[in-house]
Amino acid sequence: MTGTRLRSRLRFSDIVHLGGSGLRTRPLRAVLSALGIAIGIGAMIAVVGISTSSQAQLNAQLDALGTNLLTAEANTSMFGDETQLPPSTIPKARQMDGAESASGTAKLSVSVYRSELVNESETGGISVLATDLDLLEVTATEMDTGSWLNSSTAAYPAVVLGADAATSLGIHTVGSQVWLGGQYFTVVGILAASPLAPELDLAALIGLDIATSMFEFDGSPSTVYQRVDEQLVDQVRELLPASVNPQAPEEVAVSRPSDALAAKFAADQAFTGLLVGLGSIALLVGGIGVANTMIISVLERRREIGLRRALGATRAHIRRQFLSEALLLSALGGVMGSVLGALVVAVVGALNGWPFSVPPGLFGAAIGSTLGIGAVAGLYPAARAARTPPTAALSS
């Protein structure tokens, strides 16, 4: 064995210990440097987590409300004139193949006020609608307080207010009266917010009978709501205009309210992409902070590095030590950022009533990206440290 040169080896546990010792001797600097990484990671996890939680809430909402609701409204004619749906629109919509139910509302040319003393111009944008009795079932709208119209109250001056209409009028309890069409109507109920029919939120709804007797309602609906078989939505949507108005199908506009909810989420997704981009920039800045910290650490520890070289540490040992220190620093930032992002998602979800929904792989990707940034940020400082000569131990 004489003449055989033993190769110096550094165990993995030793590398981790050496890397950690550099952080433990300067804890405040390490935490502040890791904070830059943590902010970037936390921002991205929070943005993605809030987006996925919002999507989970939307999916649950659509599952509860159903995606098989179609609405038909009067469209403008080819000459730009206003048109009306035929009085037979709702019965025809109910008789279509694939139709499960149908209901509708008709906008009346009257206004509603808190009392007769309110200026006529201050309508608050509230619409007065004559409605079928099965409107709530078809639109999946719920009552907030009071009761819905029935065969008795629909024939008398009774009104149900939408959620926003009640707030605008200052009505919070049933039994109050509002001035509607030159007569006082009694509020028998207030609706909860209607996601699929938001036009009901700012409306005062009365029965068809009272609308006919008091306001000469001619039976032509303004909006028709139709529930159809889930498998036949596209087919019914295409046939509905010609079915309800065969003489002028182009005067019937058909929409699907669930598409509007999905479009709103798509718009939120575009904003989410912007925020993820900003989080990525913050992460890059954090990586630069790690590199800066490591370079300063190398400059401050030249004597330590020189001493280790004089005691037999190779350049590879020094390089691994400082690279592991950069990786540990980045990993610390990644863990801090993951916890911070998860807390933000949990708080925002709790405030909005959303489920906590963060893809499990997101945390792994976050830690992996921080390690990648740490490796890149630590390459130059580690190489610079490895070039430190043993004689640096003698410098003052």
Side-chain angles (χ1 to χ4, degrees), residues 285-318:
V285 172
I288 295 174
V290 170
N292 182 60
T293 298
M294 295 306 303
I295 291 175
I296 293 175
S297 180
V298 170
L299 295 176
E300 291 179 345
R301 296 159 63 185
R302 283 179 57 83
R303 293 189 64 183
E304 172 195 335
I305 298 170
L307 180 60
R308 291 199 64 231
R309 289 295 312 280
L311 294 175
T314 65
R315 289 187 175 183
H317 294 166
I318 302 298

Side-chain angles (χ1 to χ4, degrees), residues 51-77:
S51 177
T52 55
S53 297
S54 174
Q55 184 178 22
Q57 173 65 16
L58 174 63
N59 292 337
Q61 187 179 45
L62 290 178
D63 288 341
L65 299 175
T67 59
N68 62 334
L69 178 66
L70 298 177
T71 63
E73 297 179 302
N75 203 356
T76 56
S77 68

